[in-house]
Amino acid sequence: MTSSSSSHITLTKFCETQYKGSDTYDGLEAVINAIASGAYELESQIRNGNLLGMLGSTGDINIQGEIVQQLDSISSDTFVRKFQDSMHVAMVGCEEIEHPVLFENSDQSDQHDYIVLMDPLDGSSNIDVAVSIGSIFGIWKRQNSKTLSPESLLRPGAEQIGAVYVVYGSCTVLVVATQDKVNEFTMNPANGEFHLTSADISYPNKTPYYSVNDGNTARWINGIVQAVDELRDGRSQRYIGSLVADFHRNLIKGGVFLYTADTKNTDGRLRLMYEANPLGYVSVQAGGAVSDGMNNILEIQPVELHQRVPLIIGDKGLVNQVIKTIKSS
Ligand code: AHG
Ligand code: MN
Ligand code: MN
């Protein structure tokens, strides 16, 4: 799976050979390069944030009712700008922006052929404490026959054509998934170039980890309490509080992440369109699964950009085990 000899393959080269000019993916190289370029800019701001006075909140509350950190706002602005400059994105839906951003002239140009849904900075509570955070992107082909409107992005996650996430951790990695293919690239911080470091990623056979906020235990239904008891048996609990970093660890090392509904978070806590759908897509391409406890999340017909969803994601066997316990309780 891991191939250090492949590290001479850069993300730029990879995108050029895999996507440019292809029937299905042409233009995707511009979208992914925009993400990589934004991630490079952000990486340095994250590393130097404390020194530059860029940590802490903006004083605003976002559409989720959550405090906006300066880096939430900077990352949102950075990626919106990168997508606009890429000339291949027609519309962006973003956690930090109430309504979808429709780029000017995108309706008049066939070249603006992608829609992106993003959580530009995942793990906001970890920004100020030097813990891994990330960015999450779901990528969709625009339906050319239809005029774009804010509703154009309300499509099931199964229609994504690809998904990308970045983890700003002990190193900065960018993972790209398209149909049946998941590849990890690691950034060289000296020049922002990403190099292929893990090719054809799939979940390992072992499942040493489960990830859950057990401070919610008293608010869970019995089925969840029982499912977590079963996961606890022989596994280590790992919970960073940055979904994307928890997901990445469980993908590489084996495990499952849960943030189910409870009496406080009655629809779950995480967001369908820019957290569950993109990471769910990656999980499925790597041989794993994603569920809300009853159904495959990728089949859900969304009703609004910022809706929440209960999330069980990771190793397929463990996701199915949790579903079975919930259903039989
Ligand atoms: P965001 O920073 O984009 O708002 O997302 C935070 C999410 C997710 O990253 C994490 O898994 C979850 O919030 C943690 O929630 P708790 O603090 O309730 O465990
Ligand atoms: Mn998030
Ligand atoms: Mn966020």
Side-chain angles (χ1 to χ4, degrees):
M1 180 187 85
T2 305
S3 154
S4 54
S5 63
S6 59
S7 62
H8 62 281
I9 300 174
T10 65
L11 179 64
T12 315
K13 189 78 196 158
F14 178 89
C15 288
E16 199 179 298
T17 51
Q18 297 284 316
Y19 309 134
K20 201 169 180 186
S22 87
D23 288 347
T24 315
Y25 297 113
D26 189 40
L28 188 59
E29 72 283 357
V31 181
I32 293 175
N33 285 332
I35 294 172
S37 170
Y40 177 45
E41 272 186 35
L42 264 183
E43 194 267 350
S44 127
Q45 286 165 310
I46 289 165
R47 300 277 168 240
N48 297 307
N50 214 358
L51 303 174
L52 299 174
M54 282 161 52
L55 301 190
S57 80
T58 61
D60 296 328
I61 303 288
N62 72 7
I63 181 70
Q64 320 290 328
E66 293 163 349
I67 296 164
V68 178
Q69 301 295 320
Q70 289 187 61
L71 275 173
D72 284 326
S73 174
I74 290 166
S75 55
S76 175
D77 293 350
T78 300
F79 287 117
V80 167
R81 172 169 45 84
K82 293 289 178 187
F83 289 132
Q84 181 155 31
D85 291 351
S86 80
M87 303 294 287
H88 280 271
V89 176
M91 185 160 64
V92 175
C94 173
E95 179 191 1
E96 302 301 335
I97 306 174
E98 182 168 5
H99 300 293
V101 178
L102 193 52
F103 293 131
E104 214 176 313
N105 294 329
S106 55
D107 254 358
Q108 278 77 51
S109 164
D110 285 345
Q111 207 189 328
H112 291 82
D113 37 14
Y114 290 92
I115 292 172
V116 179
L117 286 163
M118 68 171 172
D119 177 353
L121 205 295
D122 177 62
S124 301
S125 71
N126 285 324
I127 293 172
D128 291 357
V129 289
V131 174
S132 298
I133 53 181
S135 305
I136 307 172
F137 307 88
I139 305 171
W140 314 66
K141 260 276 164 73
R142 171 185 167 185
Q143 290 170 312
N144 268 330
S145 53
K146 294 189 182 163
T147 305
L148 285 173
S149 70
E151 284 70 42
S152 304
L153 44 69
L154 298 179
R155 291 154 60 190
E159 292 184 20
Q160 288 168 107
I161 196 163
V164 174
Y165 66 81
V166 181
V167 179
Y168 314 96
S170 52
C171 60
T172 294
V173 295
L174 183 153
V175 172
V176 181
T178 51
Q179 180 83 54
D180 297 329
K181 289 195 176 107
V182 181
N183 290 293
E184 180 208 73
F185 299 81
T186 301
M187 195 183 85
N188 175 354
N191 59 12
E193 192 77 75
F194 285 83
H195 296 261
L196 183 64
T197 40
S198 281
D200 301 324
I201 294 172
S202 56
Y203 281 94
N205 292 328
K206 54 193 170 75
T207 58
Y209 298 128
Y210 72 101
S211 309
V212 69
N213 179 344
D214 70 4
N216 293 329
T217 309
R219 295 193 288 262
W220 289 336
I221 57 167
N222 288 339
I224 305 293
V225 176
Q226 197 185 324
V228 173
D229 265 348
E230 290 164 5
L231 290 173
R232 193 173 288 125
D233 186 17
R235 288 188 189 82
S236 299
Q237 213 260 22
R238 291 283 187 277
Y239 191 75
I240 295 169
S242 300
L243 167 67
V244 65
D246 278 311
F247 172 80
H248 183 63
R249 185 206 46 252
N250 293 347
L251 168 63
I252 302 301
K253 298 211 164 175
V256 66
F257 173 101
L258 290 85
Y259 210 123
T260 51
D262 57 53
T263 52
K264 181 175 153 207
N265 305 290
T266 48
D267 296 320
R269 168 152 170 37
L270 298 168
R271 280 54 61 106
L272 172 65
M273 299 300 282
Y274 38 78
E275 292 180 318
N277 269 341
L279 296 182
Y281 179 89
V282 179
S283 187
V284 169
Q285 307 316 316
V290 64
S291 172
D292 65 0
M294 301 302 280
N295 303 300
N296 176 351
I297 279 183
L298 299 179
E299 304 296 336
I300 294 174
Q301 173 60 51
V303 290
E304 63 116 357
L305 171 57
H306 299 288
Q307 78 188 73
R308 296 177 191 262
V309 71
L311 177 64
I312 304 159
I313 187 167
D315 175 85
K316 192 187 266 180
L318 289 189
V319 172
N320 287 337
Q321 178 185 311
V322 172
I323 295 170
K324 196 170 160 203
T325 302
I326 293 172
K327 286 187 174 168
S328 63
S329 71

